[in-house]
Amino acid sequence: MTTRAELAALDAADPLQSFRDRFVLADGLIYLDGNSLGALPRHTAARLQDVITREWGQDLITSWNRNDWIGMGTRVGDKIGRLIGAGPGQVVCADSTSINVFKLVAAAVALRPGRTVVLSDHGNFPTDLYMVQGLASIAGQGVTLKLVDEGDLIGAIDDTVACVLTTEVNYRTGWRHDMAATTKAAHAAGAIMLWDLAHSAGAFPVHLDAVGADLAVGCGYKYLNGGPGAPAFLYVASRHQATIRPPLSGWLGHDAPFAFDLTYRPAGGIVRNVCGTPPVLSMAALECGVDVMLEADMAEVRRKSVALADLFHQLVEDRLPGQFRIISPRDGDRRGSQVCLAHDHGYAIVQALVAAHVIPDFRAPDILRFGLTPLYVRYVDIWDAVERLGAIMAAETWRRPEFQTRAKVT
Ligand SMILES: *Cc1c(COP(=O)(O)O)cnc(C)c1O
């Protein structure tokens, strides 16, 4: 049987150990929700202070050139590219994930004239599906959304499909698609493959170029620690950049924005996928989060993430037998960086955990979701979280009335 002392020894020997101190985390708090909102990197506040007081306060409009605000989207994009296996010039930081899904699905369908089907699965995050539904409502017969079970996605790709759209890791269960095999199947049928990396970027190594991915989007405020509402990113493989036509053709994606031509003409390269002005403050914060990730060895991050999840599963089985259904895959290869437990009273149990300074989140209808972020989550945190969960179950503290009312955000 594992002991807490053994886990403390693992933490002491952990090559990622020093990273925890790079984040602001209250003593005694076990934060297992970095998959929804990453923790605050220690140097972000000073960097933002500088952007506000010097770059904005003093340099004012000259900052667009002097402090390269205008180049931020591609600069931060290239840095994110290093985390997701994308060579330079293929990633840009812009807009939100939802908006980037819209832009790239529309562009993907346009790349496959005569085909109208956007194929996705029931495990995909709803906003991705909603954006396709919205696109279909303006594209009429030109776009149809087809949904299948996630395990059936590859088998459902045929020559009617213009674009396969899915999220690599199921946000609710942690189940992970086989990116190489799915991309290959899409290409064999002549379809464009669009990956949502919201639960991948910064969570484990991704190899977009190596698998021959076409398009991807992802989120800045989760594993990249960019802060609430941080801008998102998008990837367009070099081979598609000259032909892709962004449907949201804004001026900063124009070839010569400051010529103020009356007709849109797309910029060369990834920049054409930008619409408008970058949110400088939020992007500066995101860059801080990405910079910390870039210092870490992603292979080590992955190794520890798998070990933390395996430990979590094992402790729940050993110490709370029969109390929860373990939903997250046991096979590390088929799993993202989260552990998911199902319980009929999941919502109330999550509230009781929060009151005990363990922060997971709840995903309807019955899932307790624990995000594992190896830069700041320790092995002993998993032990302590399961201990506190056990105490809550034994004393049934989750039955308290204050844990029953649902807040707006779960
Ligand atoms: C979190 C998440 C999003 C979020 O989209 P926003 O536009 O940033 O709100 C999109 N897709 C997936 C898969 C997510 O997990």
Side-chain angles (χ1 to χ4, degrees):
M1 205 81 143
T2 312
T3 64
R4 193 179 190 282
E6 282 167 19
L7 300 178
L10 283 183
D11 285 322
D14 176 9
L16 298 174
Q17 183 205 164
S18 65
F19 280 96
R20 183 177 165 85
D21 208 36
R22 307 286 298 279
F23 294 88
V24 177
L25 289 162
D27 280 344
L29 179 72
I30 301 176
Y31 191 63
L32 300 174
D33 212 0
N35 55 330
S36 252
L37 176 65
L40 170 64
R42 230 175 247 294
H43 73 297
T44 302
R47 171 66 186 137
L48 283 192
Q49 189 63 248
D50 184 49
V51 176
I52 291 168
T53 54
R54 182 177 57 84
E55 297 190 5
W56 178 13
Q58 292 169 28
D59 296 348
L60 285 161
I61 193 83
T62 67
S63 278
W64 286 106
N65 294 311
R66 185 182 301 182
N67 298 306
D68 196 30
W69 284 356
I70 199 66
M72 271 184 116
T74 47
R75 181 175 79 234
V76 178
D78 278 342
K79 287 183 178 184
I80 294 171
R82 287 162 56 195
L83 295 171
I84 55 176
Q90 299 179 103
V91 179
V92 70
C93 182
D95 300 317
S96 68
T97 309
S98 304
I99 289 172
N100 289 335
V101 166
F102 183 91
K103 295 191 299 194
L104 292 189
V105 170
V109 173
L111 285 175
R112 290 294 176 267
R115 299 189 182 198
T116 58
V117 175
V118 177
L119 178 68
S120 191
D121 62 75
H122 299 122
N124 199 357
F125 190 74
T127 200
D128 292 22
L129 308 180
Y130 301 161
M131 295 314 282
V132 180
Q133 289 161 13
L135 175 65
S137 75
I138 53 174
Q141 304 301 306
V143 174
T144 4
L145 175 63
K146 181 176 171 187
L147 290 179
V148 296
D149 286 344
E150 62 190 352
D152 298 336
L153 188 66
I154 288 182
I157 305 173
D158 60 25
D159 64 9
T160 64
V161 176
C163 175
V164 182
L165 163 69
T166 193
T167 300
E168 185 184 10
V169 176
N170 181 318
Y171 71 103
R172 201 191 260 138
T173 64
W175 188 82
R176 184 182 178 190
H177 283 276
D178 182 333
M179 183 179 274
T182 313
T183 303
K184 203 169 153 205
H187 290 171
I192 296 281
M193 184 72 227
L194 167 47
W195 288 104
D196 186 331
L197 303 177
H199 295 279
S200 311
F204 48 77
V206 178
H207 308 286
L208 287 178
D209 288 347
V211 302
D214 299 294
L215 308 172
V217 299
C219 191
Y221 51 80
K222 294 173 178 160
Y223 292 92
L224 297 179
N225 305 309
F233 64 87
L234 64 84
Y235 161 92
V236 177
S238 300
R239 65 182 179 283
H240 293 304
Q241 288 184 2
T243 39
I244 203 164
R245 281 292 291 206
L248 301 183
S249 39
W251 73 306
L252 285 184
H254 192 281
D255 189 39
F258 289 89
F260 299 106
D261 282 350
L262 297 187
T263 306
Y264 177 76
R265 194 174 71 245
I270 191 71
V271 172
R272 68 173 56 179
N273 300 287
V274 168
C275 310
T277 308
V280 171
L281 300 182
S282 342
M283 216 178 277
L286 172 58
E287 188 167 23
C288 293
V290 172
D291 283 341
V292 180
M293 280 309 314
L294 281 172
E295 287 179 46
D297 172 355
M298 282 307 290
E300 198 56 57
V301 169
R302 177 60 175 166
R303 202 192 55 72
K304 184 176 171 192
S305 154
V306 170
L308 290 170
D310 288 345
L311 170 68
F312 205 134
H313 286 160
Q314 179 216 319
L315 291 175
V316 168
E317 267 182 349
D318 290 352
R319 308 177 76 87
L320 305 167
Q323 300 206 45
F324 293 92
R325 272 182 303 123
I326 297 179
I327 298 293
S328 30
R330 291 315 183 84
D331 175 2
D333 284 343
R334 291 271 54 80
R335 185 172 69 217
S337 196
Q338 65 192 57
V339 160
C340 302
L341 308 177
H343 192 286
D344 287 347
H345 299 286
Y347 183 80
I349 297 168
V350 165
Q351 304 322 302
L353 277 168
V354 172
H357 308 288
V358 178
I359 306 194
D361 60 18
F362 172 75
R363 285 295 172 261
D366 59 358
I367 292 180
L368 299 86
R369 186 174 69 158
F370 302 86
L372 304 173
T373 45
L375 295 194
Y376 53 84
V377 172
R378 299 165 296 199
Y379 292 95
V380 291
D381 292 330
I382 304 302
W383 175 277
D384 293 344
V386 175
E387 283 290 288
R388 291 182 209 176
L389 180 59
I392 286 164
M393 299 313 290
E396 301 197 357
T397 39
W398 57 266
R399 288 191 189 276
R400 286 193 201 148
E402 69 265 32
F403 298 145
Q404 314 305 317
T405 4
R406 297 248 172 142
K408 246 187 198 164
V409 176
T410 63

